[in-house]
Amino acid sequence: MRLRTTLLLFLLAAVLGAVIVGIEKYLPSTRELVEMKKGPVRFDPKKITQIELDSSGGDGVSLQWDGGQWWVRRPFNDLADPERVEKFVNELLAIGWINRVHREEFEDDAAWTKTQLEKPHHTVRLSSGSELVLNLGLGAVSPIEGSHYLGLAPVKEETEASYYVTKTSLPELLKATPSDWRDPKLLRAPATAIMNLKLVQAGGQIELSRTDEKAPWMLVKPLSTRGSKERIGELLSTLLNLTIKEAAEPVNGTAKTDSVPVTTDLAAEEMKISITIKGLAKAFDLTLTKPAKPDATETTARASYRKPVYTIVSKSLSLLWGEPNQLRDRMLARIDKETVSTIDITSALHPAIHLEVKNDSWFTTRGTRLAPANGDRISRFFDALNNFQVLEFTADSASNLMPYGLDNPFLTVSWIEAGAKPMKLHFGANAESTDFFAKYDHEPSVYRVDASILPNIPQEPIKWKGLGVLRFTQFALRQISLAAGTAPPTVLKYDPTTAQWTGSRAGQDITPMIDRVKADKLAGSLAKLNVQDWVGDTTTAITY
């Protein structure tokens, strides 16, 4: 082999060796690629009970999980913002690293010190009980745009520290001040879990209650009546969105841990709110100071389950000081028509009306049998009751119903909903029949209503009958007789086995004259014949 060829091969081998060494040194291995995909930080977030955040600037925060919620334990004692904590933990798990960093890669100690890996600006420690799970240090910004140096100190004796250049938004989250970790909501609970609400002032008490999240709200005190779904919803929304603007720690430094019993021993400007949440034995109690101005959006508040005195803000703060009548349901009824099985209507002038559901269809009683009912009228009946607002809450404990005509109602409507007690609604009028009133059988309240609702509750049984005049199939048809005035009737007979028509008029056979297609159309039209409405007075009607 020539010397020149030997030198070329030697040079090629040297270059190839350098490339291999460079790849192994600077490019990640397959194992490292897998680790990069997983991220440098790995732990089970469900097992974390303690989070310690410290910075070189001196600000430090301790967070603790008590089994149900996160608390800030340092530098103050208060509930932590669960959304911020969750976001922080998720960001730790989402940290992605660009490459690993080794001490020997840096020229001297000064270059290594600039990474701030040995003295990180921020330190994060996670614990599960007494066991340290993560000890992370966030260093300086690295030369790669948008990245930082990050170090993981060993949490076990057999492990070693590791350092990375990472892509993460952790620095922005760690800029938060200790007060930023405080829960900004004065009360944090799902609206569907609130079962009872008491608003107590020096002048009286309002109590709202329901049996479960799907049940309607009832105004228990100072009245016993149905609550307004919309207004109570607004009230709950205001309570659950009271936002903390500032917090002042009590001078004595003692924390309130037990619920304070509701009492009427309050200052004139104070209101105590007691909230009962499904599944919790103790109620949450809030004490709010009434603002001097009705349109104010800021006031002070205390909570039985939190230590500080808060300044809170809300654009709808005035809703908390509403009157009982503002929380009453102004709708005449709240009927879930899909669950109603029967309707009964009784009046002073007409026979009783009974409607019931059979096989998902409505029927009305006609003598001793059931006949199809007018489904459209029943739908209008429900819509009228559900969309009709009372004009006035006339009386809340009327001992004498005679002035309202409710001692002997001219109309009573009752219905049964699945899973609910039967409802009975009475209608009456004053002696002059100029004002009309309504009252539920089980409630003391009397409502003044507009007479326009009455046409939606016809008292004549015929009005509830189905609009179909004749209902038959062509297979059941045997004969059609057509007569006009005094002329002899035309009789068409149908044989369903052969689908053939025969006919006669005045004893003469007219079968050859019958147009089969027209006869079939006539039968089909009669089978589908509907009326627009039934009239109660049949003195001038044509019988059939």
Side-chain angles (χ1 to χ4, degrees):
M1 184 180 294
R2 296 181 181 180
L3 178 60
R4 182 179 179 182
T5 302
T6 303
L7 291 174
L8 287 173
L9 291 173
F10 179 78
L11 181 60
L12 182 61
V15 171
L16 183 60
V19 170
I20 293 173
V21 171
I23 290 175
E24 291 182 348
K25 185 174 181 180
Y26 296 104
L27 294 181
S29 62
T30 302
R31 181 179 178 181
E32 286 179 324
L33 287 173
V34 173
E35 291 182 355
M36 288 175 68
K37 188 175 182 179
K38 292 181 178 179
V41 178
R42 293 189 290 275
F43 58 87
D44 185 353
K46 296 180 180 179
K47 295 182 178 180
I48 302 302
T49 59
Q50 189 82 17
I51 300 175
E52 299 286 342
L53 308 176
D54 290 290
S55 65
S56 58
D59 293 334
V61 176
S62 293
L63 305 172
Q64 186 181 48
W65 176 255
D66 69 352
Q69 52 197 347
W70 282 97
W71 289 83
V72 180
R73 298 302 189 190
R74 174 173 65 100
F76 50 80
N77 187 18
D78 200 1
L79 285 172
D81 183 349
E83 295 176 359
R84 182 178 287 273
V85 175
E86 182 181 11
K87 183 177 180 180
F88 178 78
V89 171
N90 289 339
E91 181 55 34
L92 286 174
L93 293 170
I95 293 174
W97 59 281
I98 300 172
N99 56 51
R100 301 190 67 161
V101 177
H102 303 278
R103 172 67 179 84
E104 58 272 15
E105 296 174 355
F106 291 81
E107 298 178 357
D108 50 34
D109 292 341
W112 173 250
T113 302
K114 290 180 179 179
T115 64
Q116 296 183 354
L117 287 172
E118 291 190 351
K119 294 183 178 181
H121 183 59
H122 294 285
T123 302
V124 178
R125 290 181 294 277
L126 306 185
S127 300
S128 176
S130 59
E131 180 184 357
L132 184 64
V133 174
L134 177 70
N135 190 355
L136 179 150
L138 187 65
V141 177
S142 79
I144 300 176
E145 184 179 358
S147 63
H148 286 74
Y149 290 108
L150 183 143
L152 296 179
V155 295
K156 297 181 181 179
E157 293 182 358
E158 62 270 17
T159 58
E160 297 181 353
S162 54
Y163 306 101
Y164 304 87
V165 174
T166 61
K167 285 277 190 180
T168 177
S169 60
L170 199 60
E172 291 298 319
L173 297 178
L174 291 172
K175 287 180 181 179
T177 63
S179 61
D180 292 333
W181 290 94
R182 188 193 308 270
D183 191 348
K185 300 289 186 183
L186 186 63
L187 174 66
R188 190 178 290 271
T192 54
I194 298 178
M195 297 292 109
N196 185 275
L197 190 64
K198 296 177 182 177
L199 298 92
V200 183
Q201 300 181 68
Q205 175 176 320
I206 297 175
E207 182 176 354
L208 304 164
S209 184
R210 60 178 172 178
T211 55
D212 58 66
E213 62 185 55
K214 295 182 179 179
W217 280 99
M218 298 299 295
L219 183 59
V220 180
K221 294 179 180 179
L223 308 169
S224 179
T225 185
R226 291 176 295 120
S228 169
K229 177 181 178 181
E230 294 76 20
R231 293 304 298 269
I232 295 175
E234 292 174 357
L235 178 64
L236 290 179
S237 178
T238 298
L239 276 175
L240 296 175
N241 287 286
L242 292 175
T243 304
I244 296 172
K245 180 181 178 182
E246 297 176 356
E249 299 295 326
V251 177
N252 57 14
T254 58
K256 295 179 181 179
T257 56
D258 296 327
S259 178
V260 179
V262 174
T263 175
T264 56
D265 186 19
L266 296 168
E269 71 279 2
E270 286 187 332
M271 175 171 61
K272 181 160 288 184
I273 304 174
S274 181
I275 304 111
T276 301
I277 295 178
K278 186 178 182 179
L280 298 181
K282 293 183 178 180
F284 287 139
D285 293 327
L286 308 175
T287 303
L288 278 65
T289 301
K290 186 175 182 178
K293 297 181 179 180
D295 58 348
T297 59
E298 186 174 309
T299 189
T300 58
R302 303 188 307 274
S304 62
Y305 49 93
R306 300 179 73 172
K307 180 179 177 181
V309 177
Y310 303 99
T311 299
I312 58 171
V313 294
S314 172
K315 292 182 179 180
S316 54
L317 201 59
S318 60
L319 288 178
L320 300 178
W321 277 270
E323 296 295 326
N325 271 347
Q326 295 174 340
L327 297 174
R328 297 180 68 165
D329 194 357
R330 299 198 69 90
M331 307 307 294
L332 185 59
R334 299 275 188 177
I335 306 173
D336 183 0
K337 60 184 180 181
E338 300 300 328
T339 65
V340 176
S341 58
T342 63
I343 302 171
D344 286 283
I345 302 171
T346 58
S347 68
L349 300 176
H350 299 276
I353 301 167
H354 176 75
L355 303 159
E356 63 180 84
V357 174
K358 293 283 187 181
N359 299 322
D360 298 326
S361 297
W362 280 97
F363 291 85
T364 181
T365 302
R366 302 285 293 171
T368 59
R369 62 184 181 87
L370 292 177
N374 187 338
D376 291 338
R377 187 176 294 283
I378 293 174
S379 182
R380 292 197 300 270
F381 162 81
F382 285 128
D383 291 342
L385 288 178
N386 283 337
N387 296 315
F388 198 85
Q389 292 193 14
V390 300
L391 299 177
E392 180 185 9
F393 300 115
T394 307
D396 293 316
S397 57
S399 57
N400 182 13
L401 297 177
M402 185 179 294
Y404 315 109
L406 292 168
D407 58 327
N408 186 23
F410 69 82
L411 177 63
T412 297
V413 181
S414 59
W415 62 90
I416 298 176
E417 294 180 64
K421 61 183 180 181
M423 302 294 289
K424 185 175 288 187
L425 182 61
H426 302 292
F427 290 90
N430 61 1
E432 297 80 15
S433 294
T434 55
D435 289 325
F436 293 84
F437 304 92
K439 178 186 178 299
Y440 280 94
D441 194 51
H442 63 283
E443 292 184 8
S445 300
V446 175
Y447 312 112
R448 186 167 68 88
V449 298
D450 194 286
S452 60
I453 192 174
L454 298 176
N456 295 288
I457 314 174
Q459 301 175 41
E460 301 160 293
I462 190 67
K463 292 291 187 179
W464 297 92
K465 181 184 176 183
L467 299 180
V469 177
L470 301 171
R471 282 292 181 266
F472 61 88
T473 65
Q474 196 158 336
F475 295 104
L477 179 65
R478 295 294 182 270
Q479 178 177 300
I480 299 175
S481 179
L482 305 173
T486 59
T490 299
V491 179
L492 302 176
K493 293 185 177 182
Y494 181 73
D495 184 352
T497 59
T498 61
Q500 296 296 319
W501 290 92
T502 58
S504 62
R505 182 191 301 138
Q508 299 294 320
D509 185 12
I510 60 170
T511 301
M513 302 170 59
I514 296 175
D515 186 327
R516 177 181 173 182
V517 174
K518 289 184 178 180
D520 287 341
K521 286 184 178 180
L522 174 63
S525 298
L526 290 174
K528 298 177 182 179
L529 181 61
N530 287 334
V531 299
Q532 290 184 330
D533 198 2
W534 300 102
V535 295
D537 185 2
T538 60
T539 55
T540 61
I542 298 174
T543 60
Y544 62 89

